[in-house]
Amino acid sequence: MQRIEQHACFGGSQQVWSHHSDTLGCEMRFGIYLPPQAATQKLPVLYWLSGLTCSEQNFITKAGAQRYAAEHGVILVAPDTSPRGADVADADGYDLGQGAGFYVNATQAPWATHYRMHDYVVDELPALIEADFPASDARGISGHSMGGHGALLAALKNPGRYRSVSAFAPIVAPSRTPWGEKAFAAYLGDDRDAWKAWDASELVIAASERLPLLIDQGEADEFLVDRLRPELLQAACAQAGHPLQLRMQPGYDHSYYFIASFIGEHIAYHAQALHG
């Protein structure tokens, strides 16, 4: 690994590292915030998954999360949103290819060679963090939009791996909304039944672990009606008896202004589970 950024922040250190990912077959970057408590003890980790077009930079520079991580003694890890590089498949537009990995394991050419973001986020990255930083194996996961989808997937597909999960404006039913339909057709092929394994509103029905879900959704979000559709997850959770706290926030849109407004509450929510 190579450290490429380091900044003092709320008594701790905001860093950015690059490393070669065997899972993705390319160089990857992640941001990590080490709060001041990390100087003397191992701490739990909250993983943050960002949305379409983002890199590791968006969350660490816009969310204002470090203040709350320092307060609660939680390490923050924010990976990039896709594999990157000249030899990594890409596409025109913002919603497919580099910057739009959708946190699935692609099965279709040319994507399958590199696009295995689910395995990277769930397995390879935590193993690296827990080996090379003062991090315990107490993990929470959160994210925004496409990253909220990825966070819900990680928790629902890997029972026992996380102690807490939350999301901001997640894509909860990608197999039934335009962003997901485009990405899934490319990454996973035309078999819509295969898509269900990567759709939170489908996975929650048969989930073997009833890990509570905390979701904040802005009522003024321009993508709410046709691309996010939280009511589909709400209905699935009601059918399955899965605990869901869906908080509709009047006046808030899809931006990082929305995330910054509620990230403190989310980190407190995770910290309670992670330190418990």
Side-chain angles (χ1 to χ4, degrees):
M1 293 196 302
Q2 179 182 4
R3 189 175 64 202
I4 55 180
E5 287 187 36
Q6 179 170 304
H7 311 280
C9 188
F10 291 101
S13 179
Q14 177 63 61
Q15 304 174 7
V16 177
W17 291 76
S18 68
H19 74 106
H20 178 78
S21 166
D22 291 333
T23 301
L24 304 177
C26 66
E27 288 293 312
M28 289 294 288
R29 291 187 177 190
F30 63 87
I32 182 168
Y33 176 67
L34 300 171
Q37 300 91 326
T40 59
Q41 59 185 296
K42 287 190 173 184
L43 297 176
V45 182
L46 176 59
Y47 292 86
W48 173 270
L49 307 183
S50 292
L52 289 165
T53 76
C54 292
S55 70
E56 80 287 343
Q57 290 291 324
N58 298 71
F59 179 71
I60 67 175
T61 59
K62 294 181 179 181
Q66 294 92 340
R67 170 186 174 182
Y68 305 104
E71 177 183 343
H72 291 286
V74 174
I75 294 171
L76 300 176
V77 173
D80 201 349
T81 55
S82 78
R84 305 275 185 175
D87 62 340
V88 174
D90 202 2
D92 293 333
Y94 72 96
D95 53 358
L96 188 67
Q98 295 187 34
F102 266 84
Y103 304 102
V104 302
N105 293 334
T107 60
Q108 305 299 302
W111 312 103
T113 303
H114 296 285
Y115 284 74
R116 302 187 62 82
M117 283 298 294
H118 179 78
D119 282 356
Y120 174 72
V121 165
V122 171
D123 296 319
E124 184 179 17
L125 183 60
L128 182 154
I129 297 299
E130 290 162 25
D132 294 335
F133 296 92
S136 73
D137 62 359
R139 311 174 195 96
I141 193 161
S142 187
H144 173 231
S145 194
M146 178 187 71
H149 147 77
L152 295 174
L153 280 186
L156 291 169
K157 290 176 72 68
N158 299 275
R161 187 122 180 101
Y162 302 94
R163 295 189 185 180
S164 54
V165 58
S166 73
F168 289 80
I171 305 170
V172 301
S175 62
R176 289 180 277 175
T177 52
W179 275 331
E181 288 176 325
K182 178 177 179 178
F184 283 10
Y187 296 146
L188 305 174
D190 295 329
D191 181 2
R192 284 180 171 262
D193 284 338
W195 298 3
K196 294 179 181 180
W198 302 99
D199 186 315
S201 64
E202 300 285 350
L203 290 169
V204 77
I205 299 294
S208 61
E209 178 186 45
R210 296 302 181 191
L211 192 65
L213 311 179
L214 170 63
I215 293 177
D216 273 314
Q217 172 63 62
E219 289 186 354
D221 192 319
E222 60 269 40
F223 305 116
L224 174 60
V225 174
D226 63 339
R227 295 178 184 269
L228 300 177
R229 304 195 63 190
E231 73 278 3
L232 295 178
L233 180 63
Q234 189 174 38
C237 286
Q239 177 185 338
H242 196 109
L244 166 67
Q245 185 179 8
L246 174 60
R247 309 193 306 185
M248 301 300 296
Q249 304 290 2
Y252 286 91
D253 58 20
H254 201 68
S255 71
Y256 264 83
Y257 296 107
F258 165 52
I259 296 168
S261 299
F262 298 101
I263 191 64
E265 295 177 28
H266 279 243
I267 290 177
Y269 173 82
H270 287 278
Q272 184 175 20
L274 292 169
H275 286 298

